[in-house]
Amino acid sequence: MARIRKPRKHDIASERPPASMYYLNQWRPKPRSLALMLLPFVEKPAPLAPREARRSVKQELRALADKLCERYPGISTDQDILSGAPHIKNVRLSVGNILAKLYLYGNIQDIVKIYEPHVTEDHVKQAIAYAQDFLETAYHAHEAPQVDG
């Protein structure tokens, strides 16, 4: 009569799937829950804005940036310099960099000392005013109109 031997540790290990299968199973889609199955019967949320609508917001902001450059002649949005980001005219120094330096140093005179031959105090003041007008105009442009009633 043949004896049936007890499985050993190494026998059980060979029956397990390889580690790569474990990782593949982690990424396999899980079975759907009841909530997901009922989803078609629940009111669907509004669809996201189409890609064209998102582009129009970008175009609106670009037009706003160009319009503000007319008000502040020391600021430019030339596409050949900094890819059209608002910057000091004929200098590769963006309005964002001016604001960062203002935060870091705390006053306009220190910024002028850093970039002295190319940037004047008037340039820095125009950059600050440009940034403020841009933010305020962009914020108020997308506010919902107030209805009195």
Side-chain angles (χ1 to χ4, degrees), residues 68-69 72-77 86-89 95 123 126-127 130:
L68 286 175
C69 285
Y72 301 104
I75 307 297
S76 172
T77 55
H87 59 274
I88 304 294
K89 190 172 261 185
V95 171
H123 285 129
Q126 282 188 23
Y130 176 93

Side-chain angles (χ1 to χ4, degrees), residues 42-125:
V42 178
E43 185 177 327
K44 294 181 181 180
L48 295 175
R51 193 174 195 116
E52 294 79 27
R54 285 184 283 182
R55 283 191 189 139
S56 66
V57 170
K58 184 177 180 181
Q59 290 170 351
E60 285 178 30
L61 293 176
R62 173 61 60 193
L64 173 62
D66 292 340
K67 187 172 111 180
L68 286 175
C69 285
E70 296 170 5
R71 189 181 303 169
Y72 301 104
I75 307 297
S76 172
T77 55
D78 183 15
Q79 289 293 328
D80 296 333
I81 301 174
L82 298 176
S83 300
H87 59 274
I88 304 294
K89 190 172 261 185
N90 299 325
V91 180
R92 296 183 63 84
L93 181 63
S94 72
V95 171
N97 286 343
I98 294 287
L99 295 176
K101 298 290 184 192
L102 181 64
Y103 176 77
L104 187 64
Y105 295 110
N107 59 29
I108 295 173
Q109 288 77 24
D110 288 345
I111 299 170
V112 173
K113 285 179 190 175
I114 295 170
Y115 302 107
E116 194 152 5
H118 306 290
V119 177
T120 64
E121 189 172 330
D122 187 48
H123 285 129
V124 175
K125 287 180 179 178

Side-chain angles (χ1 to χ4, degrees), residues 16-47:
R16 287 190 209 141
S20 60
M21 285 302 293
Y22 170 78
Y23 291 110
L24 286 175
N25 287 334
Q26 293 298 315
W27 297 105
R28 188 168 290 153
K30 305 287 187 256
R32 295 182 137 208
S33 67
L34 181 61
L36 289 176
M37 293 170 72
L38 293 176
L39 204 59
F41 303 106
V42 178
E43 185 177 327
K44 294 181 181 180

